[in-house]
Amino acid sequence: MAKRPVDAQVSFPRLEEQVLVRWRERDVFRESLRRREAAQPWSFWEGPPTANGRPGVHHVLSRAFKDIFPRFRTMRGYYVERRGGWDTHGLPVEIAVEKKLGIKTKAEIEEYGIEAFNAQCRESVFEFLEDWNALTERIGFWLDLENAYRTLDASYVESVWWSLKQIADKGLLYEGHRVVPYCPRCGTALSSHEVALGYEDVEDPSVYVRFRVAQDGGPLQAGDELLIWTTTPWTLVSNAAVAVDPELVYVRAKTGTLEAPVVLAEALTEKVLGDPEHVQILDRFPGAALDGVRYEPPFSYLAADEYGERGHTVLLGDFVSADDGTGIVHTAIAFGEDDFRLGQQYGLNVVNPVRVDGTYDERVGSYEGRFVKDADQDLIEDLRRRGRLLRAESYEHSYPHCWRCSTPLLYYAKPSWYIATSRIRDELLAANEQVSWHPEHIKHGRFGDWLENNVDWALSRERYWGTPLPVWRCEQGHVTVIGSLDELEQRSGVRLRDPHRPFVDDVTFACDACGQSATRVPEVIDVWFDSGAMPFAQRHEPFAGEHAVEQLYPADFICEALDQTRGWFYSLLAVSTLLRGPQAPYRHVVCLGLILDDKAQKMSKSRGNVIAPADVIDRFGADALRWYFFTSKQPWDGYLFSPDAVGEGVRLFLRQLWNTYRVCAMYEPGESGEQTDLDRWIRSRLSATTTIVTERLDAYDATVAGRAIAEFVDDLSNWYVRRSRPRFWDGDAVALETLRHSLVTVAQLLAPFTPFIADEIYDNLDGGQPSVHLTDWPEAPARDEALEQAMAIARETVRLGLAARAAAKIKVRQPLHEAVVVAAGRERDAIERLGEVVREELNVKGLRFVSQADELGSYTLKPNYRTLGPRFGKAMPQVAAAVAGLDADHVAEALRDGRPVGIFIDGHDHTLDSDDLQVAMAPLAGYQLEREGSHAVALELAVDDDLRREGLAREIVHAVQLARRDAGLDISDRIVLTLDGDDLLLDAARLHESYLSGEVLAVAVRYSANGSDRVASIEGRELRISVAPA
RNA sequence: GGGCGAUUAGCUCAGUCGGUUAGAGCGCUUCUCUGAUAAGGAAGAGGUCCCAGGUUCGAAUCCUGGAUCGCCCA
């Protein structure tokens, strides 16, 4: 079979483009699916990205990992459907459109028109679709993009509605208040992600305020003063209660400067009141004793009874800390999450005198219309005037601001729709138990913790571009949740083609309960719910009726970046658990880390350190980038990325592989050949590699798998090919088939990693299938582990011998008589078996074995702590001392003969065998010896005339080879060689003429002065060389 | 402020059950090889295994505390 010639100067990026063409022509991806149609499915879910921006290198990372395991599983015989998907809704999309339109607020959006605005959103989410599709194909991510699901499709929205109705039917959907971070200028709540973007260090007031106790209660008397601390004086207007920790110790104390006793946490007394000398502790009691104590509010704009029974009393809270403040926490129900929860617990009413624009309303008297934060100083002054202030300072801390307009955010109680996920917390945890996380610590760490602390899912968003919340409500407050477009049509008579706002907003129907007109609530739902519904919504189930929703679960494999623990990983789990109970929605999750630049800086446009995928792919190729991601490190800890690091992988691995492949394609196999130990060795190594790669990929560990392939290719290139060159020149059929088989198998193992180069190699060296990706994963035949070990020992012997040569400064080209190898038992057998390899590599005529080091060095002994430690424990130092006292030569001899060695410890005799002692050699002076453990190689350095001539013959070969190259000859061209010059050199050439001719492919060697194209100097002697094509 | 993870050679990373000489690749220096040639081989320099305690006969590894970096959350 004629192979395509292989270009040594290959451009991988260009090669990959050619492979892509071949894949398209042969329809390989679809064919790979067709061939497995009847096979057992192995399911992968694509976490949908949003195509409203260009894909970056981090997208290549996740897409590489999303590709490798499905490819592997396909070759293993599974049917792996890989459907693409696009996330199309949500605030990020809206914000991008706002920017484009140059508008910032909801008022401006409504002025622009929701229909027009949403049309812009719809368009923008596919703005970079072509870039995404092109990159996906270019990096070899096999994904069905033609049938990609899209969260904005009516069918998708309908499935989402169906699932929400299921949840509502279980009584888990409710409207409630929650304190949310809110930008008063933009008029919208912010998601936690947005809040995280906007923390700024600011100075806020830090005030200590005295609340007068209204009537005797517990250990307190009317007139005592509760000390509270706050950094938001504007919320004091809405003070509803105070909270104390029931377990914490509080004191009633008298200070010199104040008339009335004050109350605060004991631990904070000095911090708040100063020098203990001037403080008199009147009483100590736990916080629980203060439960129910009534006090006078700091401001009286709002009537006390507005808050309910427990308004302006001391409550018990679990969030009170004794770290700062006073240990008594001012509670304003509408403006803090802890406050709000406590208020709910005690049944306090939510009273909010602040308008949505952040100003006080008419209930706050003269402050009406003022932005709350601007009122801080006047409120403090007011308190001071009325003798209610203890101290006012300022306080620097980080506080969230709107990331778009820098307005300080307010925490603000607002009604929104929730899913009561906290009620299924135990089910979520149980489902999580069945998931295999990679890395493992996510399960009970980041993700498990998050589930443990589950709070209800805030589902609604007061926005425009999203799946509309399918909740209709009549004026009586009766709520109807709609579960399908049909149901809506039946009730309203309206068939929605587009279920988005504003069209859905216009649909009304008569309420079942009271007959009054029901209209949709204005909110859309959190985009994360969209993606969490993807397992069934991508197929429009249950409406399509092809699969029961239950059968669509679980996925065998999903893979996203680590930040998805709170995102898609959670939404998938939550939606699944809400619908189908405590069963894992996915079996294996691979979490990927962040990509930083090579200085550990985050890539960002403002830093200008963003590396575009194309920058790397155009230079090194997609295989190179994939290989880097797979093998440079385990993926979850993140990458310090630089193009040069990708280039290193190309040089070290892809080029090495390519050159090995080139050698294979260069020679035509002849008829004959015999299998050698070297062949058996590389086949055994191949089998071992196949086993480990299979095992590691089964365990979702691409890193160790890939590195194992790299090690094999290194063995193949630097040992098998190097040692087999003469056989290749002869067209040895067995050697060439062994190399071909090795490379074809490597191509298969590599196919999931670097699909392009793998396919190119397969196609040229085998081609039995239209693509390597249509082959079945290779089996691992039986290994010959003894041979693998023997080769390792032989290679170690070579290494030692070469080191000895280097130390003696004798070139490898100069043959030597003998290498003396110290080795016994298995080691000696191994070296003898592979003696020819060792002799050739070391260029020695013979090997002599000595089993004792007596003539080359002396032994030293060391205890093997690993075996002796557990046995002797504390006595180990004595054991070490006893071993040191043994006669090493005797012990070595005894152990060699299999006799145990006795030592005396703590009055008892113990015996040690060869496992318990490590015998090493110490070199004697005057020998050229290299040693490693008990193994050593010494060289006989004497060079006689014969060796000298042989060495010279090799030098002549070297010189002639250089002449051949200078003459521009191809490596297989035959020549007529003419030599002239120094007699000793000519003598050496004549003596070794057949060797010389064979090496330089000379059909004839002449000795005459005729040709002297080139003059070489060998050890100071002159040689004139002429080469002519034969 | 809390949770999770990381910290090993100049750089990028391995390091198994705790075992006494902590490894690889790159880079650097020197040498070598020449039918893969922008490759291959050998040698060398290069380490406070982040720090401090603790457990242990023995700690890069286990425990506690701290530092720094990153992510997530407040």
Side-chain angles (χ1 to χ4, degrees):
Chain A
M1 180 194 59
K3 298 170 201 121
R4 291 194 289 275
V6 175
D7 181 3
Q9 304 302 318
V10 65
S11 151
F12 288 122
R14 221 173 321 150
L15 173 78
E16 289 169 4
E17 300 281 3
Q18 290 161 12
V19 172
L20 281 172
V21 170
R22 200 159 66 217
W23 286 351
R24 267 181 242 132
E25 283 170 0
R26 299 180 185 177
D27 199 21
V28 179
F29 174 37
R30 268 187 293 251
E31 179 64 17
S32 78
L33 288 166
R34 276 194 290 272
R35 290 191 182 192
R36 300 295 193 212
E37 253 165 16
Q40 188 185 341
W42 184 86
S43 59
F44 159 75
W45 292 340
E46 157 82 335
T50 310
N52 72 338
R54 288 203 169 80
V57 275
H58 56 293
H59 295 111
V60 178
L61 169 65
S62 63
R63 286 170 118 59
F65 276 88
K66 286 173 176 186
D67 186 61
I68 183 171
F69 297 111
R71 278 187 194 267
F72 169 64
R73 289 286 167 171
T74 300
M75 291 177 77
R76 293 276 275 163
Y78 294 87
Y79 175 66
V80 186
E81 192 187 66
R82 279 158 277 178
R83 187 167 187 193
W86 302 106
D87 201 8
T88 57
H89 287 147
L91 201 57
V93 178
E94 292 192 31
I95 287 166
V97 170
E98 284 179 27
K99 265 191 196 147
K100 186 178 153 206
L101 298 176
I103 59 180
K104 278 183 176 165
T105 66
K106 289 169 72 178
E108 287 172 303
I109 291 171
E110 296 194 9
E111 199 178 309
Y112 183 81
I114 296 175
E115 182 176 350
F117 183 78
N118 276 357
Q120 291 277 345
C121 288
R122 177 184 287 272
E123 201 174 301
S124 83
V125 290
F126 295 118
E127 189 177 346
F128 295 98
L129 188 68
E130 283 314 308
D131 294 51
W132 277 87
N133 287 346
L135 181 73
T136 301
E137 189 192 21
R138 183 62 190 81
I139 62 175
F141 178 27
W142 276 356
L143 189 69
D144 181 357
L145 293 165
E146 285 163 34
N147 300 305
Y149 66 91
R150 314 186 308 170
T151 59
L152 56 69
D153 287 335
S155 61
Y156 197 101
V157 168
E158 187 174 35
S159 290
V160 172
W161 281 8
W162 168 82
S163 61
L164 274 173
K165 172 137 184 163
Q166 301 297 305
I167 291 163
D169 287 350
K170 292 180 181 177
L172 295 172
L173 183 70
Y174 69 94
E175 187 183 30
H177 279 77
R178 188 190 179 199
V179 173
V180 292
Y182 178 86
C183 175
R185 213 198 65 88
C186 299
T188 181
L190 273 69
S191 72
S192 56
H193 171 70
E194 294 170 295
V195 174
L197 288 173
Y199 277 86
E200 289 174 26
D201 285 334
V202 291
E203 292 226 337
D204 270 327
S206 161
V207 298
Y208 293 86
V209 187
R210 293 141 55 195
F211 288 4
R212 195 195 307 264
V213 174
Q215 16 177 293
D216 292 0
L220 305 188
Q221 295 169 12
D224 289 355
E225 292 177 329
L226 304 171
L227 292 184
I228 68 96
W229 175 75
T230 183
T231 56
T232 51
W234 62 269
T235 61
L236 286 170
V237 169
S238 329
N239 173 269
V242 298
V244 298
D245 181 342
E247 318 259 309
L248 197 63
V249 174
Y250 290 80
V251 294
R252 183 165 171 264
K254 182 81 183 68
T255 75
T257 50
L258 293 174
E259 278 194 18
V262 295
V263 181
L264 74 167
E266 182 175 43
L268 291 156
T269 317
E270 187 171 347
K271 208 166 150 192
V272 177
L273 299 177
D275 193 345
E277 299 245 321
H278 302 111
V279 176
Q280 189 189 352
I281 304 296
L282 303 175
D283 201 1
R284 292 174 78 249
F285 38 83
L290 299 173
D291 191 12
V293 168
R294 257 177 210 289
Y295 65 88
E296 296 169 9
F299 294 96
S300 52
Y301 294 105
L302 294 158
D305 56 7
E306 289 215 30
Y307 294 101
E309 188 67 13
R310 290 295 302 262
H312 300 146
T313 67
V314 178
L315 312 179
L316 305 181
D318 56 7
F319 55 86
V320 178
S321 107
D323 295 339
D324 48 23
T326 62
I328 306 179
V329 176
H330 150 61
T331 298
I333 311 297
F335 305 113
E337 202 171 334
D338 291 331
D339 312 47
F340 187 81
R341 275 212 329 268
L342 190 69
Q344 277 190 318
Q345 193 186 322
Y346 280 94
L348 294 180
N349 299 324
V350 180
V351 180
N352 185 353
V354 178
R355 296 172 177 143
V356 290
D357 62 357
T359 63
Y360 285 115
D361 69 16
E362 67 289 347
R363 285 176 286 183
V364 196
S366 58
Y367 291 99
E368 180 185 354
R370 284 185 68 178
F371 184 59
V372 292
K373 282 223 159 214
D374 295 341
D376 278 344
Q377 286 312 318
D378 288 347
L379 290 165
I380 292 168
E381 207 35 54
D382 190 344
L383 290 167
R384 193 193 308 279
R385 256 197 328 272
R386 291 188 286 115
R388 300 271 50 102
L389 194 68
L390 177 71
R391 208 159 73 223
E393 298 158 346
S394 67
Y395 177 75
E396 190 179 310
H397 64 154
S398 75
Y399 190 84
H401 289 66
C402 177
W403 64 281
R404 281 188 287 177
C405 67
S406 285
T407 306
L409 302 181
L410 305 181
Y411 283 84
Y412 210 94
K414 293 181 69 71
S416 26
W417 290 86
Y418 291 88
I419 297 175
T421 50
S422 60
R423 277 162 53 190
I424 59 160
R425 193 190 64 157
D426 291 345
E427 294 183 31
L428 294 170
L429 287 166
N432 181 40
E433 280 307 308
Q434 302 161 24
V435 178
S436 296
W437 289 88
H438 309 270
E440 175 120 35
H441 62 77
I442 302 287
K443 181 176 188 166
H444 294 122
R446 190 173 284 222
F447 197 65
D449 283 348
W450 162 253
L451 295 179
E452 289 278 0
N453 298 310
N454 186 270
V455 294
D456 289 351
W457 187 343
L459 189 70
S460 59
R461 297 285 183 275
E462 297 167 278
R463 298 296 310 189
Y464 308 96
W465 179 240
T467 299
L469 187 64
V471 172
W472 270 257
R473 186 158 48 190
C474 69
E475 283 169 30
Q476 299 284 320
H478 300 126
V479 165
T480 308
V481 178
I482 295 295
S484 71
L485 292 169
D486 280 351
E487 183 187 348
L488 187 61
E489 185 178 10
Q490 278 159 24
R491 288 178 183 275
S492 67
V494 177
R495 181 70 191 187
L496 281 176
R497 296 186 64 87
D498 180 355
H500 286 94
R501 298 188 69 187
F503 315 108
V504 69
D505 299 335
D506 299 334
V507 180
T508 61
F509 52 80
C511 173
D512 276 351
C514 63
Q516 294 200 23
S517 175
T519 54
R520 199 186 71 85
V521 301
E523 289 95 340
V524 297
I525 69 168
D526 182 5
V527 282
W528 289 111
F529 193 94
D530 282 353
S531 56
M534 157 274 169
F536 49 90
Q538 67 166 337
R539 297 171 185 275
H540 192 209
E541 294 295 358
F543 303 101
E546 288 170 18
H547 306 268
V549 167
E550 182 54 40
Q551 284 174 352
L552 298 170
Y553 286 92
D556 287 293
F557 165 66
I558 61 172
C559 168
E560 303 292 334
L562 208 54
D563 54 8
Q564 296 296 331
T565 39
R566 314 283 162 109
W568 195 49
F569 296 151
Y570 175 68
S571 66
L572 277 177
L573 180 77
V575 172
S576 160
T577 309
L578 286 161
L579 295 178
R580 51 197 279 278
Q583 302 170 64
Y586 35 70
R587 292 205 171 98
H588 290 273
V589 186
V590 173
C591 301
L592 305 171
L594 215 74
I595 299 182
L596 306 173
D597 75 6
D598 56 354
K599 293 174 190 67
Q601 297 282 306
K602 217 168 167 171
M603 289 191 197
S604 68
K605 279 180 195 157
S606 57
R607 279 200 190 84
N609 61 350
V610 176
I611 299 167
D615 296 346
V616 182
I617 293 169
D618 292 348
R619 198 167 144 206
F620 300 112
D623 277 342
L625 186 52
R626 292 172 61 120
W627 185 251
Y628 166 81
F629 284 138
F630 293 139
T631 59
S632 70
K633 60 182 307 194
Q634 290 290 354
W636 30 81
D637 293 328
Y639 294 81
L640 299 183
F641 183 83
S642 73
D644 287 344
V646 178
E648 186 176 312
V650 174
R651 246 175 351 100
L652 290 177
F653 178 66
L654 293 181
R655 287 267 161 206
Q656 185 183 44
L657 173 65
W658 188 260
N659 282 327
T660 309
Y661 156 60
R662 194 165 75 93
V663 168
C664 185
M666 210 150 41
Y667 301 100
E668 279 301 313
E671 303 288 306
S672 60
E674 256 176 62
Q675 193 174 50
T676 65
D677 271 344
L678 196 67
D679 298 327
R680 283 184 281 272
W681 168 74
I682 198 69
R683 280 180 183 269
S684 184
R685 283 281 298 116
L686 180 63
S687 174
T689 305
T690 302
T691 301
I692 180 96
V693 171
T694 309
E695 235 173 63
R696 293 327 299 161
L697 286 182
D698 269 335
Y700 298 87
D701 177 3
T703 309
V704 170
R707 288 175 180 178
I709 298 174
E711 258 177 66
F712 175 79
V713 170
D714 192 64
D715 276 348
L716 185 66
S717 168
N718 281 329
W719 198 246
Y720 183 77
V721 169
R722 191 155 73 84
R723 292 292 322 148
S724 303
R725 271 183 209 142
R727 296 169 73 203
F728 298 152
W729 305 335
D730 295 345
D732 183 309
V734 174
L736 283 166
E737 173 54 23
T738 303
L739 177 59
R740 193 197 69 87
H741 171 76
S742 299
L743 282 166
V744 169
T745 307
V746 164
Q748 290 180 287
L749 297 178
L750 218 41
F753 293 82
T754 53
F756 299 97
I757 192 172
D759 206 28
E760 178 65 16
I761 291 172
Y762 173 84
D763 193 62
N764 199 16
L765 297 187
D766 186 307
Q769 298 290 338
S771 163
V772 72
H773 304 290
L774 299 176
T775 64
D776 290 336
W777 190 253
E779 298 289 328
R783 287 170 63 187
D784 182 343
E785 290 183 54
L787 178 57
E788 287 183 53
Q789 277 171 22
M791 190 64 84
I793 291 165
R795 290 181 73 175
E796 177 64 13
T797 305
V798 169
R799 198 183 69 75
L800 292 172
L802 289 174
R805 267 188 178 273
K809 294 196 188 307
I810 296 185
K811 292 179 171 187
V812 181
R813 234 181 274 142
Q814 175 59 58
L816 293 174
H817 271 302
E818 189 173 73
V820 184
V821 180
V822 181
R826 260 206 337 253
E827 286 193 340
R828 177 174 174 163
D829 295 342
I831 298 164
E832 280 192 313
R833 177 175 180 182
L834 300 165
E836 194 186 339
V837 173
V838 176
R839 281 201 312 275
E840 280 185 27
E841 286 290 321
L842 292 180
N843 195 15
V844 294
K845 297 293 170 194
L847 296 178
R848 181 158 63 89
F849 290 92
V850 291
S851 50
Q852 306 176 48
D854 311 9
E855 51 187 300
L856 299 171
S858 62
Y859 288 108
T860 58
L861 280 183
K862 276 177 58 180
N864 181 0
Y865 284 87
R866 209 181 260 272
T867 60
L868 296 174
R871 189 167 145 202
F872 289 98
K874 283 187 186 182
M876 270 313 288
Q878 292 153 265
V879 174
V883 169
L886 294 170
D887 179 321
D889 291 339
H890 271 101
V891 170
E893 195 182 332
L895 294 179
R896 205 161 49 231
D897 299 343
R899 297 197 309 269
V901 176
I903 56 169
F904 190 71
I905 303 285
D906 271 352
H908 297 281
D909 283 314
H910 301 273
T911 58
L912 308 181
D913 61 25
S914 57
D915 285 345
D916 297 326
L917 292 166
Q918 293 168 338
V919 183
M921 289 186 34
L924 286 182
Y927 287 78
Q928 199 56 58
L929 174 80
E930 291 294 324
R931 67 193 181 89
E932 178 86 24
S934 62
H935 184 180
V937 177
L939 294 173
E940 147 96 73
L941 299 179
V943 176
D944 60 23
D945 279 354
D946 286 346
L947 290 176
R948 178 154 166 74
R949 286 199 181 82
E950 198 179 331
L952 290 172
R954 288 192 174 221
E955 296 286 354
I956 293 166
V957 167
H958 179 208
V960 175
Q961 299 289 23
L962 291 176
R964 280 182 60 111
R965 191 196 310 166
D966 287 352
L969 295 170
D970 190 81
I971 51 165
S972 56
D973 288 342
R974 300 297 192 267
I975 59 165
V976 173
L977 174 66
T978 310
L979 296 175
D980 189 27
D982 182 86
D983 286 342
L984 182 61
L985 294 179
L986 295 183
D987 191 36
R990 285 194 188 94
L991 194 59
H992 295 283
E993 190 179 297
S994 67
Y995 159 75
L996 171 63
S997 315
E999 289 296 306
V1000 304
L1001 303 184
V1003 295
V1005 183
R1006 295 185 187 135
Y1007 302 90
S1008 84
N1010 283 346
S1012 53
D1013 300 352
R1014 182 189 168 94
V1015 181
S1017 170
I1018 295 171
E1019 294 184 359
R1021 296 163 193 275
E1022 190 179 274
L1023 183 69
R1024 290 185 291 279
I1025 303 168
S1026 165
V1027 297

